[in-house]
Amino acid sequence: MPAALALVSAVFVIGFEQMVQSKYGATGIIGLLLLTVGVKAKSPAFSSAGAVLLALMLTGPAL
């Protein structure tokens, strides 16, 4: 069962990354990467930078 869960999780992550890249381009992938690295490394600076970058990508046209 854990192997199946790992496979489903990997497929979900790859699909989500592809969706972000197709909608927001390379900047969205960099923001997602910074957020992921920051959470895994427990670094508030990286996770905050990634979250801010993703937020700016989402609200960019509205500003």
Side-chain angles (χ1 to χ4, degrees), residues 35-55:
L35 183 63
T36 305
V37 168
V39 168
K40 290 206 182 262
K42 296 180 181 167
S43 171
F46 278 115
S47 58
S48 296
V52 167
L53 188 58
L54 288 174

Side-chain angles (χ1 to χ4, degrees), residues 2-41:
L5 183 63
L7 181 64
V8 170
S9 175
V11 168
F12 175 74
V13 168
I14 291 171
F16 184 71
E17 285 179 353
Q18 291 297 321
M19 182 187 71
V20 168
Q21 185 176 9
S22 68
K23 189 166 184 171
Y24 300 111
T27 310
I29 289 295
I30 291 170
L32 187 62
L33 178 69
L34 282 172
L35 183 63
T36 305
V37 168
V39 168
K40 290 206 182 262

